[in-house]
Amino acid sequence: MSAETRAVACRAAALTLADGVVLQSRLWHPSHGGPWPALLMRQPYGSRIASTVTYAHPTWWASHGFLVVVQDVRGQGESEGVFGGFAQEAADTSATHAWVRDLPECDGRLGAYGFSYQGLTQLTAGESTPPPDCTAPAMTGLDERRHWSCEGGAHWWHLGLGWGLQLAALQAQRRGDATAWLEIRQSLEDSRYLRDGPDLLQRHDPDGMAWRWLRNDPSQEQQWTVHRPPASWLQRPMLLIGGWWDPHLVGLLDLWHRSRAAGGQPCLHIGPASHLQWWPETQQLMLQFFQQHLQNSPPLEPMPAHQLWNITRHRWDPFPAADSGVPALWGLSSQGLACIDPSDGALVADEAGGGSVTLVHDPWRPVPAIGGHLGTTPGPADRMAVDQRSDVATFTSAPLAAELLLTGQPLLQLNAQADQPGFDLCISLSRLPAEAKGVEQLSTGIARVRGEEALQRTKRNVILQPLQATLAPGDRLRVSVAAAAWPAIGVNPGHEGVACGAPSPEHRVVRLTLELADSSLQLNPFDSGKLKLD
């Protein structure tokens, strides 16, 4: 054991809430001295884990002069009560903040850290609750629909089921139900959860958030909750950490915009990260932030307020200027063979598209999702093999004459109709490097259409994951269009009599026609009101 670790003490502590429920925490702090500023994490996965899947262990933070408090939220870990998900956290967060500030080891200053669920618990509180001195929410959001469970009118399938079943297994473990725990675990290990997940959630966690979200209609805004942090909390120093391949990225950008609108000056760092795989420097980035705002110790070298990792250049870029030089739009064109002949589909800069193409979706062999922010293995991916399928239409630009920076949120518009009352548009934006074979996927997006509307020739909008990528001279840009992205999203059955999900005998073959005359691809800048974040 290192001297640094030996210098840290640890103890358990309990908070009794007004309704009598006891919340359990573990505290770490330097063995000598004190009191210290507190770093608080409120999480549902067990305080002994302390989010070490992405964060340094609390002993490391404590060794730098902090009191670290990791609390099991109500109904999880060692805490009492019934777990109610996000709805329970505002009142419990307010009570916990007051308790932490009064701990004998705390000097009264309080910061919060954590990602995902732990990111949201930093932001929900009673309106009159005094704000923390600073927060560092990572990979999280406020809208239970757009930031947590749905995209383009489709539920996240493998992500939503996988996370919901993890929480269900934790509840089974609390009940001492080993049979349920093993059934859930085995379904995840052999991928049966992709078909059986809804039934498992209904049986083993019928009151859980994941099952409720899966039953909510993504097209009905009134069915969904959007959490509202107190304005004073959004005005405090805030460090926002996101990843290009994280499903909560638009939620983080929404937080950034909300904080700025409230008068805050949040720092935004989006790096080469998925939800669980971060870049190594994030620990030092957060440490400098907390040292500056909780210990009055500004960093020796000031960190940039905002920085974006360039996906193709593999380097940090400053925040892009408003006039980044991206063409106003790209048009899509085809003579009808964009699903068969890669030289037929064209992507043309600052020109109108034209022509049409027909693709056939066969639910027996749905187009797979690879990489990206919703895939089973998130991150960069070579989609050459997927693009060679005859149920994927590709539109590729001529080699670029000059360098091109793609920055912001891509939006694809095109007219599409089906011969069945239901279809999906699953879009990928990729780079074809000049110097190598391959199709480097940069961003993906989804739009789901159900009901009679699918039979109408109407312009469809598909919003893609934000990105920052530079294309070199000679590179080509590609848009790929498919009618499935399995298992990132459930397969559209082609009618409303069956729920979207794993393919079944009731799923129909769908003929999808793309009319390209008014098609366009454009990018909305990060620092604008045009981003679609909710």
Side-chain angles (χ1 to χ4, degrees), residues 146-201:
R146 180 62 178 95
H147 305 157
W148 282 96
S149 61
C150 302
E151 182 169 331
H155 289 97
W156 301 347
W157 193 251
H158 105 88
L159 279 175
L161 292 175
W163 183 58
L165 290 171
Q166 179 186 4
L167 293 174
L170 289 171
Q171 289 296 305
Q173 188 175 25
R174 281 175 64 91
R175 298 191 306 267
D177 189 345
T179 300
W181 190 96
L182 286 170
E183 185 181 14
I184 292 169
R185 180 67 193 182
Q186 289 168 359
S187 77
L188 293 167
E189 290 174 348
D190 62 19
S191 295
R192 284 188 296 111
Y193 76 99
L194 295 173
R195 180 171 300 279
D196 301 339
D199 176 66
L200 291 171
L201 287 174

CSV table of all heavy atoms in Angstrom, one decimal, residues 146-201:
chain,number,residue,atom,x,y,z
A,146,ARG,N,-35.5,12.5,-24.2
A,146,ARG,CA,-34.4,12.7,-25.2
A,146,ARG,C,-33.0,12.4,-24.7
A,146,ARG,O,-32.1,12.0,-25.4
A,146,ARG,CB,-34.5,14.1,-25.7
A,146,ARG,CG,-33.4,14.5,-26.8
A,146,ARG,CD,-33.6,13.6,-28.0
A,146,ARG,NE,-32.6,13.9,-29.1
A,146,ARG,CZ,-31.5,13.3,-29.3
A,146,ARG,NH1,-31.1,12.3,-28.5
A,146,ARG,NH2,-30.6,13.7,-30.2
A,147,HIS,N,-32.8,12.6,-23.4
A,147,HIS,CA,-31.5,12.5,-22.8
A,147,HIS,C,-31.2,11.1,-22.2
A,147,HIS,O,-30.1,10.8,-21.8
A,147,HIS,CB,-31.2,13.6,-21.8
A,147,HIS,CG,-31.4,15.0,-22.4
A,147,HIS,ND1,-31.7,16.1,-21.6
A,147,HIS,CD2,-31.4,15.4,-23.6
A,147,HIS,CE1,-31.8,17.1,-22.3
A,147,HIS,NE2,-31.7,16.8,-23.6
A,148,TRP,N,-32.3,10.3,-22.0
A,148,TRP,CA,-32.1,9.1,-21.2
A,148,TRP,C,-32.7,7.8,-21.9
A,148,TRP,O,-32.3,6.7,-21.5
A,148,TRP,CB,-32.8,9.3,-19.9
A,148,TRP,CG,-32.0,10.1,-18.9
A,148,TRP,CD1,-32.1,11.4,-18.7
A,148,TRP,CD2,-30.9,9.6,-18.1
A,148,TRP,NE1,-31.1,11.8,-17.8
A,148,TRP,CE2,-30.4,10.7,-17.4
A,148,TRP,CE3,-30.3,8.3,-17.9
A,148,TRP,CZ2,-29.3,10.6,-16.5
A,148,TRP,CZ3,-29.2,8.2,-17.1
A,148,TRP,CH2,-28.7,9.3,-16.4
A,149,SER,N,-33.6,8.0,-22.9
A,149,SER,CA,-34.2,6.7,-23.3
A,149,SER,C,-34.6,6.7,-24.7
A,149,SER,O,-35.0,5.6,-25.2
A,149,SER,CB,-35.4,6.4,-22.4
A,149,SER,OG,-36.4,7.5,-22.5
A,150,CYS,N,-34.7,7.8,-25.5
A,150,CYS,CA,-35.2,7.8,-26.8
A,150,CYS,C,-34.4,8.7,-27.7
A,150,CYS,O,-33.7,9.6,-27.3
A,150,CYS,CB,-36.7,8.3,-26.8
A,150,CYS,SG,-37.8,7.4,-25.8
A,151,GLU,N,-34.5,8.4,-29.0
A,151,GLU,CA,-33.9,9.3,-30.0
A,151,GLU,C,-34.7,9.1,-31.3
A,151,GLU,O,-35.1,8.0,-31.7
A,151,GLU,CB,-32.5,8.9,-30.3
A,151,GLU,CG,-31.8,9.7,-31.3
A,151,GLU,CD,-30.3,9.5,-31.4
A,151,GLU,OE1,-29.7,9.1,-30.3
A,151,GLU,OE2,-29.7,9.7,-32.4
A,152,GLY,N,-35.1,10.3,-31.9
A,152,GLY,CA,-35.8,10.3,-33.1
A,152,GLY,C,-37.1,9.6,-33.1
A,152,GLY,O,-37.6,9.0,-34.1
A,153,GLY,N,-37.8,9.5,-31.9
A,153,GLY,CA,-39.1,8.8,-31.8
A,153,GLY,C,-38.9,7.3,-31.5
A,153,GLY,O,-39.9,6.6,-31.5
A,154,ALA,N,-37.7,6.8,-31.3
A,154,ALA,CA,-37.4,5.4,-31.1
A,154,ALA,C,-36.8,5.2,-29.7
A,154,ALA,O,-35.9,6.0,-29.3
A,154,ALA,CB,-36.6,4.8,-32.1
A,155,HIS,N,-37.2,4.2,-29.0
A,155,HIS,CA,-36.6,3.9,-27.7
A,155,HIS,C,-35.2,3.3,-27.9
A,155,HIS,O,-34.9,2.6,-28.9
A,155,HIS,CB,-37.4,2.8,-26.9
A,155,HIS,CG,-38.6,3.3,-26.4
A,155,HIS,ND1,-39.8,3.1,-27.0
A,155,HIS,CD2,-38.9,4.0,-25.2
A,155,HIS,CE1,-40.8,3.6,-26.3
A,155,HIS,NE2,-40.3,4.2,-25.2
A,156,TRP,N,-34.2,3.8,-27.1
A,156,TRP,CA,-32.9,3.0,-27.1
A,156,TRP,C,-33.2,1.6,-26.7
A,156,TRP,O,-33.8,1.3,-25.6
A,156,TRP,CB,-32.0,3.6,-26.0
A,156,TRP,CG,-31.6,5.1,-26.2
A,156,TRP,CD1,-31.9,5.8,-27.3
A,156,TRP,CD2,-31.0,5.9,-25.3
A,156,TRP,NE1,-31.4,7.1,-27.1
A,156,TRP,CE2,-30.9,7.2,-25.9
A,156,TRP,CE3,-30.5,5.7,-24.0
A,156,TRP,CZ2,-30.3,8.3,-25.2
A,156,TRP,CZ3,-29.9,6.8,-23.3
A,156,TRP,CH2,-29.8,8.1,-23.9
A,157,TRP,N,-32.8,0.7,-27.5
A,157,TRP,CA,-33.2,-0.7,-27.2
A,157,TRP,C,-32.2,-1.4,-26.3
A,157,TRP,O,-32.4,-1.6,-25.1
A,157,TRP,CB,-33.4,-1.5,-28.5
A,157,TRP,CG,-34.1,-2.8,-28.3
A,157,TRP,CD1,-33.6,-4.1,-28.4
A,157,TRP,CD2,-35.5,-3.0,-27.9
A,157,TRP,NE1,-34.5,-5.0,-28.1
A,157,TRP,CE2,-35.7,-4.4,-27.8
A,157,TRP,CE3,-36.5,-2.1,-27.6
A,157,TRP,CZ2,-36.9,-4.9,-27.4
A,157,TRP,CZ3,-37.7,-2.6,-27.2
A,157,TRP,CH2,-37.9,-4.0,-27.1
A,158,HIS,N,-31.0,-1.7,-26.8
A,158,HIS,CA,-30.1,-2.5,-26.0
A,158,HIS,C,-29.6,-1.7,-24.8
A,158,HIS,O,-29.4,-2.2,-23.7
A,158,HIS,CB,-28.9,-3.0,-26.9
A,158,HIS,CG,-27.6,-2.3,-26.7
A,158,HIS,ND1,-26.7,-2.7,-25.7
A,158,HIS,CD2,-27.1,-1.2,-27.3
A,158,HIS,CE1,-25.7,-1.8,-25.7
A,158,HIS,NE2,-25.9,-1.0,-26.7
A,159,LEU,N,-29.4,-0.4,-24.9
A,159,LEU,CA,-29.0,0.4,-23.8
A,159,LEU,C,-30.1,0.5,-22.7
A,159,LEU,O,-29.8,0.3,-21.6
A,159,LEU,CB,-28.6,1.8,-24.3
A,159,LEU,CG,-27.3,2.1,-24.9
A,159,LEU,CD1,-27.2,3.5,-25.4
A,159,LEU,CD2,-26.2,1.8,-23.9
A,160,GLY,N,-31.3,0.8,-23.2
A,160,GLY,CA,-32.4,0.9,-22.2
A,160,GLY,C,-32.7,-0.3,-21.5
A,160,GLY,O,-32.9,-0.3,-20.2
A,161,LEU,N,-32.7,-1.5,-22.2
A,161,LEU,CA,-33.0,-2.7,-21.6
A,161,LEU,C,-31.8,-3.1,-20.6
A,161,LEU,O,-32.0,-3.6,-19.5
A,161,LEU,CB,-33.2,-3.8,-22.6
A,161,LEU,CG,-34.5,-3.7,-23.4
A,161,LEU,CD1,-34.5,-4.8,-24.5
A,161,LEU,CD2,-35.7,-3.8,-22.6
A,162,GLY,N,-30.6,-3.0,-21.1
A,162,GLY,CA,-29.4,-3.4,-20.3
A,162,GLY,C,-29.3,-2.6,-19.0
A,162,GLY,O,-29.1,-3.2,-18.0
A,163,TRP,N,-29.5,-1.3,-19.1
A,163,TRP,CA,-29.5,-0.5,-17.8
A,163,TRP,C,-30.6,-0.8,-16.9
A,163,TRP,O,-30.5,-1.0,-15.7
A,163,TRP,CB,-29.4,1.0,-18.2
A,163,TRP,CG,-29.3,1.9,-17.0
A,163,TRP,CD1,-28.3,1.8,-16.1
A,163,TRP,CD2,-30.2,2.9,-16.5
A,163,TRP,NE1,-28.5,2.8,-15.1
A,163,TRP,CE2,-29.6,3.5,-15.3
A,163,TRP,CE3,-31.4,3.4,-17.0
A,163,TRP,CZ2,-30.3,4.5,-14.6
A,163,TRP,CZ3,-32.0,4.4,-16.3
A,163,TRP,CH2,-31.4,5.0,-15.1
A,164,GLY,N,-31.8,-0.9,-17.5
A,164,GLY,CA,-33.0,-1.3,-16.7
A,164,GLY,C,-32.8,-2.6,-16.0
A,164,GLY,O,-33.2,-2.8,-14.8
A,165,LEU,N,-32.2,-3.6,-16.7
A,165,LEU,CA,-32.1,-4.9,-16.1
A,165,LEU,C,-30.9,-4.9,-15.0
A,165,LEU,O,-31.0,-5.6,-14.0
A,165,LEU,CB,-31.7,-5.9,-17.1
A,165,LEU,CG,-32.9,-6.3,-18.0
A,165,LEU,CD1,-32.5,-7.1,-19.2
A,165,LEU,CD2,-34.0,-7.0,-17.2
A,166,GLN,N,-30.0,-4.0,-15.2
A,166,GLN,CA,-29.0,-3.9,-14.1
A,166,GLN,C,-29.6,-3.4,-12.8
A,166,GLN,O,-29.4,-3.9,-11.7
A,166,GLN,CB,-27.9,-2.9,-14.5
A,166,GLN,CG,-26.8,-2.7,-13.5
A,166,GLN,CD,-25.8,-1.6,-13.9
A,166,GLN,OE1,-25.9,-0.9,-14.9
A,166,GLN,NE2,-24.8,-1.4,-13.0
A,167,LEU,N,-30.5,-2.4,-12.9
A,167,LEU,CA,-31.2,-1.9,-11.7
A,167,LEU,C,-32.1,-2.9,-11.2
A,167,LEU,O,-32.3,-3.1,-10.0
A,167,LEU,CB,-31.9,-0.6,-12.1
A,167,LEU,CG,-31.1,0.6,-12.4
A,167,LEU,CD1,-32.0,1.8,-12.9
A,167,LEU,CD2,-30.3,1.1,-11.3
A,168,ALA,N,-32.8,-3.7,-12.1
A,168,ALA,CA,-33.7,-4.7,-11.6
A,168,ALA,C,-32.9,-5.8,-10.8
A,168,ALA,O,-33.4,-6.3,-9.8
A,168,ALA,CB,-34.4,-5.3,-12.8
A,169,ALA,N,-31.7,-6.1,-11.3
A,169,ALA,CA,-30.9,-7.1,-10.6
A,169,ALA,C,-30.5,-6.6,-9.2
A,169,ALA,O,-30.4,-7.4,-8.3
A,169,ALA,CB,-29.7,-7.5,-11.5
A,170,LEU,N,-30.2,-5.3,-9.1
A,170,LEU,CA,-29.8,-4.8,-7.8
A,170,LEU,C,-31.0,-4.9,-6.9
A,170,LEU,O,-30.8,-5.2,-5.7
A,170,LEU,CB,-29.4,-3.3,-8.0
A,170,LEU,CG,-28.0,-3.1,-8.7
A,170,LEU,CD1,-27.8,-1.6,-8.9
A,170,LEU,CD2,-26.9,-3.6,-7.8
A,171,GLN,N,-32.2,-4.6,-7.4
A,171,GLN,CA,-33.4,-4.8,-6.5
A,171,GLN,C,-33.6,-6.2,-6.1
A,171,GLN,O,-34.0,-6.5,-5.0
A,171,GLN,CB,-34.6,-4.2,-7.3
A,171,GLN,CG,-34.6,-2.7,-7.4
A,171,GLN,CD,-34.7,-2.0,-6.0
A,171,GLN,OE1,-35.6,-2.2,-5.3
A,171,GLN,NE2,-33.7,-1.1,-5.8
A,172,ALA,N,-33.4,-7.2,-7.0
A,172,ALA,CA,-33.5,-8.6,-6.7
A,172,ALA,C,-32.5,-9.0,-5.6
A,172,ALA,O,-32.8,-9.8,-4.7
A,172,ALA,CB,-33.3,-9.4,-8.0
A,173,GLN,N,-31.3,-8.4,-5.7
A,173,GLN,CA,-30.3,-8.7,-4.7
A,173,GLN,C,-30.7,-8.2,-3.4
A,173,GLN,O,-30.5,-8.9,-2.4
A,173,GLN,CB,-29.0,-8.1,-5.2
A,173,GLN,CG,-27.8,-8.5,-4.3
A,173,GLN,CD,-26.5,-8.0,-4.9
A,173,GLN,OE1,-26.5,-7.0,-5.6
A,173,GLN,NE2,-25.4,-8.6,-4.6
A,174,ARG,N,-31.3,-7.0,-3.3
A,174,ARG,CA,-31.8,-6.5,-2.0
A,174,ARG,C,-32.9,-7.4,-1.4
A,174,ARG,O,-33.0,-7.5,-0.2
A,174,ARG,CB,-32.3,-5.1,-2.2
A,174,ARG,CG,-31.2,-4.0,-2.3
A,174,ARG,CD,-31.9,-2.6,-2.7
A,174,ARG,NE,-32.7,-2.1,-1.6
A,174,ARG,CZ,-32.4,-1.4,-0.6
A,174,ARG,NH1,-31.1,-1.0,-0.5
A,174,ARG,NH2,-33.2,-0.9,0.3
A,175,ARG,N,-33.7,-7.9,-2.3
A,175,ARG,CA,-34.8,-8.8,-1.8
A,175,ARG,C,-34.3,-10.2,-1.4
A,175,ARG,O,-35.1,-11.0,-0.9
A,175,ARG,CB,-35.9,-8.9,-2.9
A,175,ARG,CG,-36.6,-7.7,-3.3
A,175,ARG,CD,-37.8,-8.0,-4.2
A,175,ARG,NE,-37.5,-8.8,-5.3
A,175,ARG,CZ,-37.2,-8.4,-6.6
A,175,ARG,NH1,-37.2,-7.0,-6.8
A,175,ARG,NH2,-37.0,-9.2,-7.6
A,176,GLY,N,-33.1,-10.5,-1.8
A,176,GLY,CA,-32.6,-11.8,-1.6
A,176,GLY,C,-33.1,-12.8,-2.6
A,176,GLY,O,-33.1,-14.0,-2.3
A,177,ASP,N,-33.6,-12.3,-3.8
A,177,ASP,CA,-34.1,-13.2,-4.8
A,177,ASP,C,-33.0,-13.6,-5.8
A,177,ASP,O,-32.8,-13.0,-6.8
A,177,ASP,CB,-35.2,-12.4,-5.5
A,177,ASP,CG,-36.0,-13.3,-6.5
A,177,ASP,OD1,-35.6,-14.4,-6.8
A,177,ASP,OD2,-37.1,-12.9,-6.9
A,178,ALA,N,-32.3,-14.7,-5.4
A,178,ALA,CA,-31.2,-15.1,-6.3
A,178,ALA,C,-31.7,-15.7,-7.6
A,178,ALA,O,-31.0,-15.5,-8.6
A,178,ALA,CB,-30.4,-16.2,-5.5
A,179,THR,N,-32.9,-16.2,-7.6
A,179,THR,CA,-33.4,-16.8,-8.9
A,179,THR,C,-33.6,-15.7,-9.9
A,179,THR,O,-33.2,-15.8,-11.1
A,179,THR,CB,-34.7,-17.5,-8.7
A,179,THR,OG1,-34.5,-18.6,-7.7
A,179,THR,CG2,-35.3,-18.1,-10.0
A,180,ALA,N,-34.2,-14.6,-9.5
A,180,ALA,CA,-34.4,-13.5,-10.4
A,180,ALA,C,-33.1,-12.9,-10.8
A,180,ALA,O,-32.9,-12.5,-12.0
A,180,ALA,CB,-35.3,-12.4,-9.7
A,181,TRP,N,-32.1,-12.7,-9.9
A,181,TRP,CA,-30.8,-12.1,-10.2
A,181,TRP,C,-30.1,-13.0,-11.3
A,181,TRP,O,-29.6,-12.4,-12.3
A,181,TRP,CB,-30.0,-12.1,-9.0
A,181,TRP,CG,-28.7,-11.3,-9.1
A,181,TRP,CD1,-28.5,-10.0,-8.8
A,181,TRP,CD2,-27.5,-11.8,-9.6
A,181,TRP,NE1,-27.2,-9.6,-9.1
A,181,TRP,CE2,-26.5,-10.7,-9.6
A,181,TRP,CE3,-27.0,-13.0,-10.1
A,181,TRP,CZ2,-25.2,-10.8,-10.0
A,181,TRP,CZ3,-25.7,-13.1,-10.6
A,181,TRP,CH2,-24.8,-12.0,-10.5
A,182,LEU,N,-30.1,-14.3,-11.1
A,182,LEU,CA,-29.5,-15.2,-12.1
A,182,LEU,C,-30.2,-15.1,-13.4
A,182,LEU,O,-29.5,-15.2,-14.5
A,182,LEU,CB,-29.4,-16.6,-11.5
A,182,LEU,CG,-28.4,-16.8,-10.4
A,182,LEU,CD1,-28.6,-18.2,-9.8
A,182,LEU,CD2,-27.0,-16.7,-10.9
A,183,GLU,N,-31.5,-15.1,-13.4
A,183,GLU,CA,-32.2,-15.0,-14.7
A,183,GLU,C,-31.8,-13.8,-15.5
A,183,GLU,O,-31.6,-13.8,-16.7
A,183,GLU,CB,-33.7,-15.1,-14.5
A,183,GLU,CG,-34.5,-15.1,-15.8
A,183,GLU,CD,-36.0,-15.2,-15.5
A,183,GLU,OE1,-36.5,-14.9,-14.4
A,183,GLU,OE2,-36.8,-15.5,-16.5
A,184,ILE,N,-31.8,-12.6,-14.8
A,184,ILE,CA,-31.4,-11.4,-15.4
A,184,ILE,C,-30.0,-11.5,-15.9
A,184,ILE,O,-29.7,-11.1,-17.0
A,184,ILE,CB,-31.6,-10.2,-14.4
A,184,ILE,CG1,-33.1,-10.0,-14.2
A,184,ILE,CG2,-31.0,-8.9,-15.0
A,184,ILE,CD1,-33.4,-9.0,-13.0
A,185,ARG,N,-29.1,-11.9,-15.1
A,185,ARG,CA,-27.7,-12.0,-15.4
A,185,ARG,C,-27.5,-12.9,-16.6
A,185,ARG,O,-26.7,-12.5,-17.6
A,185,ARG,CB,-26.9,-12.5,-14.2
A,185,ARG,CG,-25.4,-12.6,-14.5
A,185,ARG,CD,-24.7,-11.3,-14.7
A,185,ARG,NE,-23.4,-11.4,-15.2
A,185,ARG,CZ,-22.6,-10.3,-15.4
A,185,ARG,NH1,-23.0,-9.1,-15.1
A,185,ARG,NH2,-21.4,-10.5,-15.9
A,186,GLN,N,-28.1,-14.0,-16.7
A,186,GLN,CA,-27.9,-14.9,-17.8
A,186,GLN,C,-28.4,-14.3,-19.1
A,186,GLN,O,-27.9,-14.5,-20.2
A,186,GLN,CB,-28.6,-16.3,-17.5
A,186,GLN,CG,-27.8,-17.1,-16.4
A,186,GLN,CD,-28.6,-18.3,-15.9
A,186,GLN,OE1,-29.8,-18.5,-16.3
A,186,GLN,NE2,-28.1,-19.0,-15.0
A,187,SER,N,-29.5,-13.6,-19.0
A,187,SER,CA,-30.1,-12.9,-20.2
A,187,SER,C,-29.1,-11.9,-20.8
A,187,SER,O,-29.0,-11.8,-22.0
A,187,SER,CB,-31.4,-12.3,-19.9
A,187,SER,OG,-31.3,-11.1,-19.2
A,188,LEU,N,-28.4,-11.2,-19.9
A,188,LEU,CA,-27.4,-10.3,-20.4
A,188,LEU,C,-26.1,-11.0,-21.0
A,188,LEU,O,-25.5,-10.5,-21.9
A,188,LEU,CB,-27.0,-9.3,-19.2
A,188,LEU,CG,-28.1,-8.4,-18.7
A,188,LEU,CD1,-27.7,-7.8,-17.4
A,188,LEU,CD2,-28.4,-7.3,-19.8
A,189,GLU,N,-25.8,-12.1,-20.3
A,189,GLU,CA,-24.6,-12.8,-20.8
A,189,GLU,C,-24.8,-13.4,-22.2
A,189,GLU,O,-23.8,-13.5,-23.0
A,189,GLU,CB,-24.2,-13.8,-19.8
A,189,GLU,CG,-23.6,-13.2,-18.5
A,189,GLU,CD,-23.4,-14.3,-17.4
A,189,GLU,OE1,-23.8,-15.4,-17.6
A,189,GLU,OE2,-22.7,-13.9,-16.4
A,190,ASP,N,-26.0,-14.0,-22.4
A,190,ASP,CA,-26.2,-14.6,-23.7
A,190,ASP,C,-27.0,-13.8,-24.7
A,190,ASP,O,-27.4,-14.3,-25.7
A,190,ASP,CB,-26.8,-16.0,-23.5
A,190,ASP,CG,-28.2,-16.0,-22.9
A,190,ASP,OD1,-28.8,-14.9,-22.9
A,190,ASP,OD2,-28.6,-17.0,-22.3
A,191,SER,N,-27.2,-12.5,-24.4
A,191,SER,CA,-27.9,-11.6,-25.2
A,191,SER,C,-29.4,-11.9,-25.4
A,191,SER,O,-30.1,-11.3,-26.3
A,191,SER,CB,-27.3,-11.5,-26.6
A,191,SER,OG,-26.0,-11.0,-26.5
A,192,ARG,N,-30.0,-12.8,-24.6
A,192,ARG,CA,-31.4,-13.0,-24.7
A,192,ARG,C,-32.2,-11.8,-24.2
A,192,ARG,O,-33.4,-11.7,-24.5
A,192,ARG,CB,-31.8,-14.3,-23.9
A,192,ARG,CG,-31.4,-15.6,-24.5
A,192,ARG,CD,-32.0,-16.8,-23.7
A,192,ARG,NE,-31.4,-16.9,-22.4
A,192,ARG,CZ,-32.1,-16.6,-21.3
A,192,ARG,NH1,-33.4,-16.3,-21.3
A,192,ARG,NH2,-31.5,-16.8,-20.1
A,193,TYR,N,-31.6,-10.9,-23.5
A,193,TYR,CA,-32.3,-9.7,-23.1
A,193,TYR,C,-32.8,-8.9,-24.2
A,193,TYR,O,-33.8,-8.1,-24.1
A,193,TYR,CB,-31.4,-8.9,-22.2
A,193,TYR,CG,-30.3,-8.1,-22.9
A,193,TYR,CD1,-30.5,-6.7,-23.2
A,193,TYR,CD2,-29.1,-8.7,-23.3
A,193,TYR,CE1,-29.6,-6.0,-23.9
A,193,TYR,CE2,-28.2,-7.9,-24.0
A,193,TYR,CZ,-28.4,-6.6,-24.3
A,193,TYR,OH,-27.4,-5.9,-24.9
A,194,LEU,N,-32.2,-9.0,-25.4
A,194,LEU,CA,-32.7,-8.2,-26.5
A,194,LEU,C,-34.1,-8.6,-27.0
A,194,LEU,O,-34.8,-7.8,-27.6
A,194,LEU,CB,-31.7,-8.4,-27.7
A,194,LEU,CG,-30.3,-7.8,-27.5
A,194,LEU,CD1,-29.4,-8.1,-28.6
A,194,LEU,CD2,-30.4,-6.3,-27.3
A,195,ARG,N,-34.4,-9.9,-26.7
A,195,ARG,CA,-35.8,-10.3,-27.0
A,195,ARG,C,-36.6,-10.4,-25.7
A,195,ARG,O,-37.8,-10.0,-25.7
A,195,ARG,CB,-35.7,-11.7,-27.6
A,195,ARG,CG,-37.1,-12.3,-28.0
A,195,ARG,CD,-36.9,-13.6,-28.8
A,195,ARG,NE,-36.2,-13.3,-30.0
A,195,ARG,CZ,-36.8,-12.8,-31.1
A,195,ARG,NH1,-38.1,-12.5,-31.1
A,195,ARG,NH2,-36.1,-12.6,-32.2
A,196,ASP,N,-36.0,-10.9,-24.6
A,196,ASP,CA,-36.8,-11.1,-23.4
A,196,ASP,C,-36.8,-10.0,-22.4
A,196,ASP,O,-37.5,-10.0,-21.4
A,196,ASP,CB,-36.2,-12.4,-22.7
A,196,ASP,CG,-36.3,-13.6,-23.5
A,196,ASP,OD1,-37.1,-13.6,-24.5
A,196,ASP,OD2,-35.5,-14.6,-23.3
A,197,GLY,N,-36.0,-8.9,-22.7
A,197,GLY,CA,-35.9,-7.8,-21.7
A,197,GLY,C,-37.1,-7.2,-21.3
A,197,GLY,O,-37.3,-7.0,-20.0
A,198,PRO,N,-38.1,-6.9,-22.1
A,198,PRO,CA,-39.3,-6.3,-21.6
A,198,PRO,C,-40.1,-7.2,-20.7
A,198,PRO,O,-40.6,-6.7,-19.6
A,198,PRO,CB,-40.1,-6.0,-22.9
A,198,PRO,CG,-39.1,-5.9,-24.0
A,198,PRO,CD,-38.0,-6.8,-23.6
A,199,ASP,N,-40.1,-8.5,-20.9
A,199,ASP,CA,-40.8,-9.4,-20.0
A,199,ASP,C,-40.1,-9.5,-18.7
A,199,ASP,O,-40.7,-9.5,-17.6
A,199,ASP,CB,-40.9,-10.8,-20.6
A,199,ASP,CG,-41.5,-11.8,-19.7
A,199,ASP,OD1,-42.7,-11.7,-19.4
A,199,ASP,OD2,-40.8,-12.7,-19.3
A,200,LEU,N,-38.7,-9.5,-18.7
A,200,LEU,CA,-38.0,-9.5,-17.5
A,200,LEU,C,-38.2,-8.3,-16.6
A,200,LEU,O,-38.3,-8.3,-15.4
A,200,LEU,CB,-36.5,-9.7,-17.8
A,200,LEU,CG,-36.0,-11.0,-18.4
A,200,LEU,CD1,-34.6,-10.9,-18.9
A,200,LEU,CD2,-36.2,-12.1,-17.4
A,201,LEU,N,-38.2,-7.1,-17.3
A,201,LEU,CA,-38.5,-5.9,-16.5
A,201,LEU,C,-39.9,-5.9,-15.9
A,201,LEU,O,-40.1,-5.5,-14.8
A,201,LEU,CB,-38.3,-4.7,-17.5
A,201,LEU,CG,-36.9,-4.3,-17.9
A,201,LEU,CD1,-36.9,-3.2,-18.9
A,201,LEU,CD2,-36.1,-3.9,-16.6
